[in-house]
Amino acid sequence: MTPASAATPRPTPRNRDSELRSRLAAYWPDLYNRALRLSRNDAIAQDVLQDTFERALRFEDQYEPNSNLRAWLQRILLSVFVTRYRRRRREKNAL
């Protein structure tokens, strides 16, 4: 085995996923508070937060590892909130 191949193993998708999940958990309180400020409703804030984490995991390959994870998550959260708000407004107008 050459020294180059003996270097640290490349992260597998499962390792990256579990690493991102553990890092996401640290941002839960901050993101929840922001979602609650935006929605002014606990149930909606929890739904927005769940959708935010789901999108973060789905699009984790688009996250730049050395960039600001908090800012990336905040941007996803805002996008999820705005999408839900617009969808709800369209549904009200359709009735």
Side-chain angles (χ1 to χ4, degrees):
M1 186 176 336
T2 64
S5 63
T8 57
R10 292 179 56 187
T12 63
R14 178 172 288 175
N15 290 344
R16 281 194 312 251
D17 187 43
S18 62
E19 179 183 330
L20 185 62
R21 284 176 195 255
S22 65
R23 292 181 66 197
L24 288 178
Y27 291 103
W28 188 92
D30 184 44
L31 293 171
Y32 172 75
N33 287 333
R34 177 138 192 225
L36 191 58
R37 282 192 308 271
L38 289 169
S39 67
R40 299 184 191 137
N41 181 304
D42 180 59
I44 293 173
Q46 289 180 12
D47 287 346
V48 167
L49 191 61
Q50 182 176 356
D51 290 348
T52 298
F53 286 149
E54 184 180 309
R55 278 195 195 178
L57 292 173
R58 187 177 343 142
F59 297 110
E60 74 172 304
D61 57 326
Q62 295 180 11
Y63 171 67
E64 302 278 334
N66 295 326
S67 65
N68 187 345
L69 178 61
R70 181 174 179 254
W72 186 66
L73 292 171
Q74 296 261 352
R75 183 66 197 147
I76 293 171
L77 183 129
L78 184 61
S79 176
V80 167
F81 176 78
V82 168
T83 299
R84 288 175 61 94
Y85 176 80
R86 287 177 179 165
R87 183 179 301 138
R88 189 177 65 187
R89 192 174 64 190
R90 274 195 311 266
E91 289 171 357
K92 279 185 179 180
N93 288 340
L95 299 176

